[in-house]
Amino acid sequence: MKINGTAYRTIWLGDDGWSVEIIDQTRLPHEFVTARLATMEDAAVAIKTMQVRGAPLIGATAAYGVCLALREDASDEALEAAVAHLAEQRPTAVNLRWALDEMLHAVRNLPREDRVAAAYARAARLCEEDVETCRMIGVHGLKLIEEIAARKAPGEPVNVLTHCNAGWIACVDWGTATSPVYQAHDKGIQMHVWVDETRPRNQGASLTAYELGAHGVPHTIVVDNAGGHLMQHGKVDVVIVGTDRVTANGDVCNKIGTYLKALAAKDNDIPFYVALPHSTIDWQLDDGFLIPIEERSSDEVLKMPGRLADGSVVTVEIAAPGSGAGNPAFDVTPARLVSGLITERGVCEASKEGLDRLYGDRD
């Protein structure tokens, strides 16, 4: 995807051929800054502090974190320690564990002298696979948008409501929930996206709006609680969100507030779709309420960064002094509220039967 006319991915190898470059998402939307990861700990910090975020991108960053660890020490002990350390940085998104398992499978049975090259090769393939996976999610989601567009009056846009950031900034490219939107827009379908601000970190207002604007997709930022109102007044045609983990029975764990959007969509007979790659499916769990929910710092609720009139970016307190804050980062949307899952293999119902129909050949 493009920023100011220049094509970018979210993660790539540096000019030295071994360090890793990322877009520092904590600086968006006010500053476009890249950061260099030179050690495994750099990768761990980037994941923990959300310099990189979004389930697929977390996995890709962790994969390169393994590469950086092996450059320093390719022993079995160092490999296991790196995988364990990277895995504990974000507990909810299953892509992190999946990517680390892929890296273990690629290198652990090799001689030490071969491990670094094999690790970099697998990490690179993992990134390329993510790009193609997200592109195919868009191909299948595009069909749903085309069906809606065919029922609209000429020139009337398809109105999509999304939550948090499931865009290309959350993946390596294309995104999950945004991939159908980008492909529809590029095909000439009139599109408009209602962008939830997504408190407390405002990933919708700062990241989704940023990337949609950079690609030229019409959009409007709304407060999180406006979604139900928009649905009641016929201003939403479809809700498409991403996810950090989907269980084998179709339950969906995504950014806090997703469940409320699903309830509002159900009450207003509006389709609610979840876009995801295969790496986000947790085949070991069949109940979304068994997923560990990350509790993040109360500072994310009590404080907010912003840009002043002079261009400086500062963090300010926004709450009553002395008040505490809870900050669960995710919630679970039961499968019964999900109209369908948009995957790289097609669209299926949110159920064990639906997932088995698409992934019956899984290992």
Side-chain angles (χ1 to χ4, degrees):
M1 309 307 290
K2 294 182 177 180
I3 297 176
N4 296 326
T6 300
Y8 280 93
R9 288 186 175 180
T10 53
I11 188 167
W12 63 94
L13 284 181
D15 292 339
D16 56 20
W18 62 266
S19 65
V20 181
E21 300 283 336
I22 60 169
I23 298 172
D24 185 347
Q25 297 189 33
T26 63
R27 307 288 287 274
L28 294 174
H30 306 303
E31 300 175 286
F32 180 82
V33 176
T34 61
R36 179 174 181 264
L37 310 180
T39 66
M40 182 272 292
E41 188 59 28
D42 288 343
V45 170
I47 293 169
K48 183 70 172 181
T49 64
M50 298 178 72
Q51 287 180 292
V52 294
R53 40 143 306 281
L57 180 55
I58 289 172
T61 305
Y64 275 118
V66 172
C67 299
L68 295 169
L70 292 176
R71 276 180 51 84
E72 298 181 5
D73 184 347
S75 67
D76 289 345
E77 296 78 12
L79 174 62
E80 292 173 3
V83 167
H85 183 57
L86 289 162
E88 67 185 10
Q89 300 309 308
R90 298 292 304 276
T92 301
V94 74
N95 299 65
L96 177 58
R97 182 75 251 181
W98 172 84
L100 291 170
D101 286 344
E102 289 291 307
M103 296 301 291
L104 276 173
H105 181 73
V107 305
R108 64 184 164 192
N109 294 324
L110 298 178
R112 291 187 183 184
E113 61 270 22
D114 296 336
R115 286 181 171 180
V116 172
Y120 273 98
R122 182 64 189 106
R125 289 199 309 276
L126 189 149
C127 289
E128 292 303 322
E129 290 164 4
D130 181 70
V131 173
E132 178 60 15
T133 293
C134 288
R135 188 188 71 82
M136 287 305 300
I137 289 171
V139 168
H140 296 297
L142 171 61
K143 296 175 184 177
L144 300 173
I145 292 177
E146 288 176 325
E147 291 173 1
I148 296 171
R151 300 193 296 266
K152 307 280 283 189
E156 186 178 358
V158 175
N159 287 291
V160 177
L161 186 142
T162 191
H163 188 66
C164 194
N165 174 251
W168 75 266
I169 289 177
C171 303
V172 179
D173 208 343
W174 282 109
T176 55
T178 59
S179 186
V181 172
Y182 287 130
Q183 296 196 35
H185 171 78
D186 291 349
K187 194 174 180 179
I189 297 174
Q190 295 296 310
M191 299 296 299
H192 173 261
V193 181
W194 295 108
V195 179
D196 276 3
E197 60 178 348
T198 321
R199 285 278 291 147
R201 290 189 63 93
N202 298 313
Q203 295 104 318
S206 62
L207 301 178
T208 302
Y210 177 84
E211 64 171 80
L212 290 173
H215 200 72
V217 179
H219 62 280
T220 304
I221 299 170
V222 292
V223 300
D224 290 353
N225 290 329
H229 169 80
L230 294 171
M231 294 182 206
Q232 286 177 328
H233 288 79
K235 295 183 178 181
V236 177
D237 296 306
V238 62
V239 181
I240 307 177
V241 301
T243 176
D244 290 82
R245 191 185 305 207
V246 170
T247 55
N249 68 327
D251 289 343
V252 171
C253 184
N254 192 46
K255 182 68 178 181
I256 193 76
T258 303
Y259 172 55
L260 298 180
K261 294 300 182 298
L263 286 173
K266 186 74 170 181
D267 191 52
N268 288 278
D269 296 320
I270 293 171
F272 180 95
Y273 287 99
V274 179
L276 68 146
H278 66 277
S279 55
T280 301
I281 305 169
D282 186 345
W283 298 105
Q284 306 305 312
L285 287 183
D286 58 6
D287 183 349
F289 292 96
L290 297 177
I291 297 172
I293 301 298
E294 179 181 1
E295 181 79 22
R296 294 187 60 81
S297 169
S298 61
D299 280 352
E300 294 181 351
V301 178
L302 302 174
K303 301 177 182 180
M304 183 179 292
R307 185 168 59 186
L308 301 179
D310 63 5
S312 60
V313 178
V314 299
T315 297
V316 299
E317 296 180 354
I318 61 172
S323 296
N327 189 14
F330 304 92
D331 60 23
V332 174
T333 299
R336 60 184 171 79
L337 298 177
V338 179
S339 303
L341 304 174
I342 309 172
T343 80
E344 77 279 2
R345 292 191 175 187
V347 181
C348 70
E349 66 180 30
S351 67
K352 181 181 184 301
E353 294 74 20
L355 287 168
D356 283 345
R357 179 173 61 80
L358 293 184
Y359 296 100
D361 61 346
R362 67 185 182 276
D363 184 355

